[in-house]
Amino acid sequence: MDYEVVIVGAGPAGGHCARRLSEKGYRVLLLEQHSSFLDNNFSSAASPLEILEDFQLPESVVARFWKHIDIIATNVERSWRSDRPLGVVFDFAKLREFLAGEVVRLGGEVRMGCRYLTYEEKEDGLTVSLKSKGKEIETVNTKLVIDATGYARAVIYPHRRERPELCKGVGIEYLIKVSDIVYQKYADSLVFFLGHKWSPKGYGWIFPMEDNRLKVGSAWLEGEHPHIDRVKPLKEYIHAILSEYLRVESYELIETHGSIIEYSIGLQDIYYRGDRVLAIGDTVSTINLLGGEGIRHAMRGAEIACPYIESALRGKADFNAYERALKQYFEPKWSVSDRLSRKVYLEYSDSRIDKGVAALQYLSMPDLIDILFYYKFEKYTKGIGGYLLGKIRQWLARFPLPEKGDRTR
């Protein structure tokens, strides 16, 4: 069977890329190694509301809309409230299933339970070897292969020794069902946990889902920390959130998921090989570990890639320009976010984290969203500066300047 594009990995980047190319009439094959999207359902996937319109996503893939944010440190808590929805928590399986369904609806092909093995260059394209469950190895011909395999980087790095220096994050998440009384307390909120009590070297979270379900998780960066000698297993920090914060005496554990994220410090990944192999999504480090958000960025990266993929299919490949475009979009904010996340998670003392969270009280909800989702870190110092300026003005108001002509000393 011949295809114009084979996309390996049906996550948000791969699925969205396959949808866009199928929409343009290209013969696309989208591969997913799992037999069901429920088999790899880790991502908590909290995003700002605009993601639905930006990427034409239906409300059917949304598990819950959120409108409040709470940030919990070891000794400090801060909260922000809104009277309207500000974002969504996706059902990750439904999101990927929707994208795959769109590919099929638009004339593309999706193969579940199908693993990519290798590719071989031919004079007029590539031969790709695949292995579906219960079947013999088969080969397909294609003009381009797109690596959307995330941290596995299965296509773009056939040998692990070729990888650049990568920063590694590990996370575990519980999907639990709780009583209606407990659920209603968190049904509209994103709750983030910072500090050495809740998640040393990382952060924890509670995100609402549908049907009285909550996602409770913890993640951290691997690396040495000057203030932490030893950490407990990740699950123990999740249990601390359950028992000491949620204070739930009983709950139903529906699923447990674990995942690894690796991203290149300084975005030094390989973005392409020759003019027939391209990488998108987390394969080229589009996840941001400061808040763990990746879906919106992976889909944006896929959209950036599509025009260059189309040019390559017309015989005018310029993947170097694709790399420049992707870095131009991500690098300015990613470089700051990367340095800040590694400082907070791998350098800061617990008291310093407390002070940082305490200072967030001077920020409005729009400012906080700009920091968390749009990486406008200047809003943090602006918020503190505005508060201090207000205090100075209040102090000066207590000592009015003398009126003109009044020479009283």
Side-chain angles (χ1 to χ4, degrees):
M1 184 69 178
D2 290 344
Y3 301 92
E4 290 174 283
V5 184
V6 172
I7 299 176
V8 185
H16 186 57
C17 184
R19 173 172 66 156
R20 285 287 183 253
L21 294 174
S22 297
E23 194 174 34
K24 295 291 185 69
Y26 295 104
R27 298 189 306 278
V28 177
L29 172 61
L30 177 63
L31 305 176
E32 171 55 46
Q33 66 174 335
H34 296 95
S35 298
S36 167
F37 288 117
L38 292 172
D39 294 339
N40 184 28
N41 196 26
F42 173 75
S43 177
S44 295
S47 298
L49 195 60
E50 67 183 43
I51 192 173
L52 298 181
E53 181 177 353
D54 285 353
F55 300 108
Q56 297 82 53
L57 300 174
E59 290 189 11
S60 61
V61 303
V62 175
R64 188 74 185 181
F65 288 88
W66 59 265
K67 54 186 179 181
H68 311 315
I69 296 176
D70 299 296
I71 299 180
I72 315 300
T74 298
N75 300 294
V76 178
E77 298 184 10
R78 292 291 179 262
S79 298
W80 294 260
R81 295 291 179 262
S82 170
D83 58 1
R84 60 182 179 84
L86 299 175
V88 300
V89 178
F90 284 116
D91 183 312
F92 195 49
K94 288 182 180 179
L95 171 65
R96 291 174 295 151
E97 186 175 33
F98 165 76
L99 292 173
E102 285 290 279
V103 173
V104 174
R105 183 181 69 82
L106 294 166
E109 182 179 344
V110 178
R111 295 196 193 181
M112 303 295 294
C114 184
R115 286 194 303 118
Y116 159 85
L117 299 179
T118 186
Y119 71 85
E120 183 179 351
E121 294 196 40
K122 300 292 185 180
E123 184 176 345
D124 57 347
L126 302 171
T127 297
V128 182
S129 298
L130 310 173
K131 177 68 169 68
S132 296
K133 290 185 178 180
K135 297 183 179 180
E136 298 293 326
I137 295 174
E138 65 171 314
T139 60
V140 298
N141 298 316
T142 185
K143 295 180 179 179
L144 298 177
V145 173
I146 309 299
D147 189 343
T149 61
Y151 81 91
R153 295 170 167 84
V155 182
I156 207 74
Y157 294 111
H159 306 291
R160 292 186 65 88
R161 64 177 179 271
E162 298 176 338
R163 295 186 178 195
E165 179 185 3
L166 296 173
C167 188
K168 184 177 181 180
V170 181
I172 295 177
E173 183 176 67
Y174 287 3
L175 177 62
I176 64 173
K177 187 168 185 177
V178 296
S179 70
D180 189 62
I181 293 176
V182 173
Y183 178 74
Q184 291 304 323
K185 293 180 181 179
Y186 305 98
D188 299 317
S189 299
L190 303 181
V191 185
F192 296 96
F193 295 86
L194 296 172
H196 299 180
K197 173 183 178 180
W198 301 113
S199 191
K201 300 168 48 169
Y203 64 97
W205 61 89
I206 301 171
F207 289 171
M209 302 291 283
E210 70 280 1
D211 300 329
N212 283 24
R213 299 182 181 193
L214 301 173
K215 282 197 169 185
V216 185
S218 184
W220 61 36
L221 291 182
E222 292 192 350
E224 299 295 324
H225 196 299
H227 301 285
I228 299 174
D229 297 325
R230 183 181 65 87
V231 294
K232 295 177 288 187
L234 271 175
K235 286 186 177 181
E236 292 197 26
Y237 296 104
I238 298 176
H239 293 159
I241 293 173
L242 292 170
S243 62
E244 299 180 41
Y245 186 80
L246 281 175
R247 299 184 184 276
V248 290
E249 296 181 358
S250 63
Y251 59 88
E252 179 186 351
L253 179 59
I254 299 171
E255 294 174 351
T256 300
H257 298 288
S259 184
I260 296 172
I261 292 295
E262 291 182 324
Y263 75 98
S264 169
I265 298 172
L267 301 182
Q268 297 303 307
D269 272 305
I270 292 176
Y271 289 71
Y272 59 93
R273 289 189 179 276
D275 57 4
R276 298 194 181 278
V277 179
L278 191 72
I280 61 174
D282 290 348
T283 304
V284 284
S285 304
T286 54
I287 192 168
N288 193 304
L289 280 189
L290 186 64
E293 190 195 5
I295 288 178
R296 187 165 49 107
H297 309 312
M299 296 180 77
R300 179 64 65 197
E303 288 212 336
I304 293 172
C306 280
Y308 299 96
I309 294 171
E310 292 184 65
S311 293
L313 292 172
R314 295 193 294 266
K316 299 179 180 180
D318 188 359
F319 290 160
N320 187 48
Y322 158 68
E323 178 177 344
R324 291 196 305 270
L326 203 64
K327 286 185 174 181
Q328 183 178 11
Y329 182 82
F330 286 109
E331 193 168 32
K333 49 196 173 189
W334 256 225
S335 59
V336 178
S337 179
D338 171 56
R339 292 195 301 270
L340 182 58
S341 62
R342 284 188 285 133
K343 277 186 172 294
V344 172
Y345 301 149
L346 297 179
E347 295 183 23
Y348 280 8
S349 66
D350 206 26
S351 61
R352 187 167 184 179
I353 293 174
D354 279 342
K355 291 178 181 177
V357 172
L360 292 173
Q361 67 180 306
Y362 311 129
L363 300 178
S364 66
M365 176 70 94
D367 286 339
L368 186 68
I369 289 177
D370 275 343
I371 293 171
L372 289 178
F373 294 106
Y374 302 102
Y375 313 103
K376 297 180 180 179
F377 303 111
E378 69 276 6
K379 292 293 186 76
Y380 181 75
T381 53
K382 179 183 177 182
I384 297 174
Y387 168 80
L388 294 176
L389 181 59
K391 287 294 185 183
I392 291 172
R393 286 172 175 168
Q394 290 177 18
W395 183 80
L396 289 175
R398 295 168 55 192
F399 303 96
L401 293 174
E403 294 182 6
K404 188 175 181 180
D406 184 356
R407 300 187 180 275
T408 302
R409 296 296 182 184

